[in-house]
Amino acid sequence: MKRLILRLTGLMLVIVLCLGAIGWFGQHDKVNNALYRAYYGDHGVPAVHRDVYEDAAATYDVDWRLLAAVHRVETIFSHSSSMRSSVGAIGPFQFMPRTWLGWQYDTDDQKGDVPEDEVDLTDLGLIEQYGGLGRDGNNDGLADPHSLVDSAHTAAYYLSEHGGTTADSTDSIRNAIFEYNRSEQYVNDVMSFYESYQTDVSYLPDDKASATQQVARYTIRYLEWFAGWV
């Protein structure tokens, strides 16, 4: 009996520790990003993003589904403020800081990175001065590359400026996507999602709403804590 009690006590302690770990990692950006990779990427478009896509698309006369496809390929619909690629691209739609701010800004990095503690990337005056792409999509006086709204508007603006409007041909839209990211594989990936969204778009609820998503969330937390997967 004593051995059984000890085993049960040990099991309860493990459960408490696991739940504590789950609770701690639940607020971690890496966990949220992993949830998008594990669940959202294969199961549709987050419903909470549609208004953002539609507003940006309407402003610059592009198809909102094209924006959704670009967002899917760039960061699998992430809206985390910590998104940064290995080459320095930042935000949900992955703009190089110097592209956002403007290539007239003088910096030693030729790939387009600009340390964010060096200059305020959200400053509309500086963006205008240096000829940057950054747009203020929510009219708060800032153009924040980490903002889903601002970056969606900037992506829509860029695509429209390069022949990606609703009136343009498929070839022109493909060229606009290529200008966004100069890779034929990238163009094919975006077009694949864009074309599939034309006929069938599955809308996902909030990322904490469904039981399936909760299972995915807790699985990812477990993997991060015990296996270092993320």
Side-chain angles (χ1 to χ4, degrees):
M1 177 64 72
K2 185 178 294 185
R3 183 175 297 177
L4 177 61
I5 292 174
L6 287 174
R7 287 181 177 177
L8 290 173
T9 302
L11 178 61
M12 289 299 296
L13 179 60
V14 169
I15 291 173
V16 169
L17 289 173
C18 288
L19 290 175
I22 287 170
W24 189 85
F25 279 107
Q27 304 304 315
H28 201 290
D29 273 341
K30 289 167 68 177
V31 174
N32 292 329
N33 290 338
L35 175 64
Y36 285 103
R37 292 200 300 272
Y39 186 83
Y40 280 176
D42 295 327
H43 292 82
V45 175
V48 293
H49 293 174
R50 179 167 176 173
D51 286 347
V52 175
Y53 301 146
E54 288 185 334
D55 181 54
T59 302
Y60 297 103
D61 190 27
V62 300
D63 191 327
W64 72 266
R65 288 162 292 198
L66 178 58
L67 282 183
V70 170
H71 192 192
R72 164 60 181 81
V73 174
E74 287 292 349
T75 59
I76 315 185
F77 301 122
S78 178
H79 52 84
S80 167
S81 62
S82 68
M83 292 299 298
R84 188 178 184 90
S85 76
S86 59
V87 297
I90 56 178
F93 281 81
Q94 293 289 277
F95 287 95
M96 292 302 295
R98 202 171 173 193
T99 300
W100 187 272
L101 179 64
W103 281 84
Q104 296 175 36
Y105 180 76
D106 187 18
T107 181
D108 293 333
D109 189 288
Q110 298 304 309
K111 293 182 179 179
D113 195 10
V114 176
E116 293 189 56
D117 59 357
E118 178 179 304
V119 63
D120 183 3
L121 297 179
T122 71
D123 189 319
L124 292 171
L126 292 179
I127 291 170
E128 182 177 2
Q129 177 182 344
Y130 296 120
L133 292 179
R135 290 294 181 270
D136 176 13
N138 54 7
N139 298 312
D140 65 353
L142 303 173
D144 185 356
H146 300 291
S147 160
L148 176 60
V149 175
D150 289 353
S151 58
H153 275 253
T154 303
Y157 166 73
Y158 190 82
L159 291 167
S160 70
E161 288 291 295
H162 289 82
T165 70
T166 56
D168 288 311
S169 67
T170 298
D171 285 343
S172 182
I173 290 173
R174 289 184 64 91
N175 289 335
I177 297 169
F178 184 80
E179 290 298 323
Y180 195 97
N181 188 324
R182 290 175 172 268
S183 161
E184 287 296 339
Q185 184 59 57
Y186 178 85
V187 174
N188 291 336
D189 290 343
V190 171
M191 287 300 295
S192 176
F193 284 105
Y194 176 47
E195 289 167 358
S196 70
Y197 296 157
Q198 297 289 331
T199 56
D200 182 29
V201 181
S202 298
Y203 296 106
L204 297 167
D206 180 79
D207 64 353
K208 296 181 180 179
S210 74
T212 303
Q213 289 164 308
Q214 288 285 28
V215 170
R217 180 179 293 276
Y218 281 96
T219 299
I220 290 165
R221 292 173 186 167
Y222 174 87
L223 289 170
E224 175 163 317
W225 176 253
F226 289 101
W229 177 65
V230 179

